[in-house]
Amino acid sequence: MVRGEADVDVVVVGAGQAGLSSAYHLARAGIGHVVLDHAPRPGGAWQFRWPSLTYGKVHGMHALPGMELTGADPLRPSSAVIGEYFAAYEERFGLRVRRPVDVAAVRDGGDGRLRVETSAGIWSARALVNATGTWDRPFWPRYPGQETFRGRQLHTANYPGPQEFAGARVVVVGGGTSAVQHLLEIAEVAAETTWVTRRPPVFRDGGFGEAEGREAVALVDERVRRGLPPQSVVSVTGLPLNEAVRAGLASGVLDRQPMFDRITATGVAWAGGRQVEADVILWATGFRAAIEHLAPLHLRETGGGIRVEGTRAVRDGRVHLVGYGPSASTIGANRAGGAAVREIRRLLARGTESTDPAPADGTDAHEPAAAPSA
């Protein structure tokens, strides 16, 4: 571990799909870098997934650049399959990830460089790739009476699998893929399940090709360009209608109810007087970007998000966000990693003069703003 302060061209924060993709492209470009990851072992956020999420159930996993994931047993836990794959990838390409390292803050070093303060010391860098994802920031909505509930409240982030819900009355909150997966497996062992969402779920029947993918990414990209907090790509694609989902709809397990108005000591209640008794409320309500360590750089816009052109933060051209907004999907993270490194190469080639933060209007003092990555 590094103690004191060390100089490096680029610091990559996070060693999930986005971070490893970025490190791969940095290594190929011959750019000096260090990869910092707070997780205890390879696998990114996948290592924390629940055991019943087998590899065959994974929604949209895409191979890292330069090394396919082949021959995986679809019945094995995704945490094991992808953890082993990421470990093998790091070894094959010599990506010496430093872990566990917590990044506390990234500041302007005052000399054209960035100061990255961590639990293992301080790095001074000319550029930073932030690839921290969302897993560390589960979103817990607040509802009246929540503190009075005498049952158990869980989030997808600490979901243990269906076995702990045997014989229980469970309310699942959320309209995404995780909520549907939780419901389908919990319903097999629970006494009763109730599904509630803020908006009616949209199910997608048929294929999802490149044109649909580009359209979905464009919707997320538009929010990021406006400085709003990003939505996930999945949130605008709809829920896929596979065989298991069709069965859940037919059986009534996926009979969605509107969002309740308050939580009682023994369940949830609606304004019209309806109540549902519950032993467990499971919040499958998603995650927010884990970017608190970037706060000293003042990158956020008034809308609450970080405005990004391509992968570059508009308010500081030295900072690239990979796996943020439109590049949050696994294939998007791969592409964004390469795009970020191409921009960083130009930044480093221009010399230290241009490592000053980009002006707030989004243009670099030395070249036009980059187009978004494909």
Side-chain angles (χ1 to χ4, degrees), residues 156-245:
T156 292
N158 55 3
Y159 174 67
Q163 66 282 352
E164 292 198 25
F165 302 93
R169 299 163 298 179
V170 184
V171 173
V172 177
V173 184
T177 304
S178 293
V180 170
Q181 290 176 342
H182 296 337
L183 275 160
L184 292 177
E185 60 182 25
I186 289 172
E188 295 183 2
V189 299
E192 180 181 296
T193 60
T194 303
W195 183 26
V196 297
T197 71
R198 287 193 299 122
R199 292 181 295 273
V202 176
F203 292 95
R204 184 186 76 242
D205 199 0
F208 189 78
E210 284 192 21
E212 293 83 0
R214 284 194 297 269
E215 183 179 349
V217 168
L219 291 172
V220 181
D221 183 60
E222 175 60 24
R223 285 183 60 87
V224 172
R225 285 175 171 270
R226 291 162 54 199
L228 298 173
Q231 293 175 303
S232 69
V233 173
V234 173
S235 71
V236 297
T237 62
L239 297 163
L241 261 177
N242 55 33
E243 184 177 339
V245 170

Side-chain angles (χ1 to χ4, degrees), residues 14-67:
Q17 185 99 15
L20 292 183
S21 171
S22 301
Y24 168 86
H25 290 291
L26 286 166
R28 283 172 61 87
I31 297 174
H33 64 281
V34 62
V35 184
L36 310 176
D37 188 30
H38 83 111
R41 55 190 176 275
W46 292 101
Q47 66 193 271
F48 305 114
R49 297 297 202 271
W50 52 99
S52 57
L53 181 61
T54 57
Y55 184 64
K57 296 178 182 177
V58 166
H59 180 73
M61 173 62 194
H62 195 272
L64 286 158
M67 180 177 162

Side-chain angles (χ1 to χ4, degrees), residues 3-370:
R3 298 294 173 189
E5 184 165 344
D7 289 350
V8 68
D9 282 332
V10 182
V11 170
V12 179
V13 185
Q17 185 99 15
L20 292 183
S21 171
S22 301
Y24 168 86
H25 290 291
L26 286 166
R28 283 172 61 87
I31 297 174
H33 64 281
V34 62
V35 184
L36 310 176
D37 188 30
H38 83 111
R41 55 190 176 275
W46 292 101
Q47 66 193 271
F48 305 114
R49 297 297 202 271
W50 52 99
S52 57
L53 181 61
T54 57
Y55 184 64
K57 296 178 182 177
V58 166
H59 180 73
M61 173 62 194
H62 195 272
L64 286 158
M67 180 177 162
E68 293 294 321
L69 171 53
T70 59
D73 182 351
L75 299 180
R76 290 189 69 204
S78 61
S79 57
V81 171
I82 298 174
E84 291 168 8
Y85 170 56
F86 279 17
Y89 188 85
E90 292 178 16
E91 183 176 358
R92 174 180 290 190
F93 294 107
L95 306 179
R96 292 184 292 276
V97 180
R98 297 172 183 262
R99 58 168 62 91
V101 177
D102 295 318
V103 176
V106 181
R107 307 180 190 277
D108 182 3
D111 54 359
R113 301 175 71 91
L114 294 166
R115 177 184 171 92
V116 184
E117 301 173 359
T118 83
S119 60
I122 298 169
W123 274 267
S124 173
R126 298 173 65 187
L128 180 128
V129 174
N130 193 80
T132 47
T134 62
W135 187 259
D136 295 321
R137 283 200 65 206
F139 175 61
W140 292 77
R142 303 301 304 171
Y143 277 85
Q146 196 163 2
E147 68 284 352
T148 70
F149 183 59
R150 293 201 294 262
R152 188 179 182 191
Q153 295 190 59
L154 297 170
H155 191 278
T156 292
N158 55 3
Y159 174 67
Q163 66 282 352
E164 292 198 25
F165 302 93
R169 299 163 298 179
V170 184
V171 173
V172 177
V173 184
T177 304
S178 293
V180 170
Q181 290 176 342
H182 296 337
L183 275 160
L184 292 177
E185 60 182 25
I186 289 172
E188 295 183 2
V189 299
E192 180 181 296
T193 60
T194 303
W195 183 26
V196 297
T197 71
R198 287 193 299 122
R199 292 181 295 273
V202 176
F203 292 95
R204 184 186 76 242
D205 199 0
F208 189 78
E210 284 192 21
E212 293 83 0
R214 284 194 297 269
E215 183 179 349
V217 168
L219 291 172
V220 181
D221 183 60
E222 175 60 24
R223 285 183 60 87
V224 172
R225 285 175 171 270
R226 291 162 54 199
L228 298 173
Q231 293 175 303
S232 69
V233 173
V234 173
S235 71
V236 297
T237 62
L239 297 163
L241 261 177
N242 55 33
E243 184 177 339
V245 170
R246 291 182 190 276
L249 289 168
S251 68
V253 170
L254 297 181
D255 179 19
R256 171 262 177 184
Q257 303 298 312
M259 195 65 203
F260 49 77
D261 296 283
R262 59 190 175 89
I263 299 174
T264 69
T266 58
V268 298
W270 287 259
R274 182 191 174 198
Q275 296 193 39
V276 167
E277 298 294 290
D279 303 298
V280 182
I281 300 174
L282 175 56
W283 299 92
T285 45
F287 298 80
R288 299 294 183 263
I291 52 177
E292 299 91 342
H293 55 287
L294 301 179
L297 296 176
H298 306 292
L299 303 180
R300 288 187 188 270
E301 304 292 334
T302 55
I306 297 177
R307 192 151 59 98
V308 172
E309 293 286 347
T311 62
R312 184 183 62 181
V314 167
R315 290 185 177 270
D316 194 323
R318 299 168 296 182
V319 178
H320 288 259
L321 287 91
V322 180
Y324 178 84
S327 65
S329 66
T330 55
I331 188 170
N334 282 358
R335 292 172 176 170
V341 172
R342 287 192 293 272
E343 284 227 29
I344 288 170
R345 287 183 70 174
R346 290 194 286 268
L347 177 78
L348 299 182
R350 291 197 300 269
T352 57
E353 178 186 0
S354 63
T355 59
D356 293 331
D361 64 2
T363 57
D364 190 288
H366 299 270
E367 69 173 24

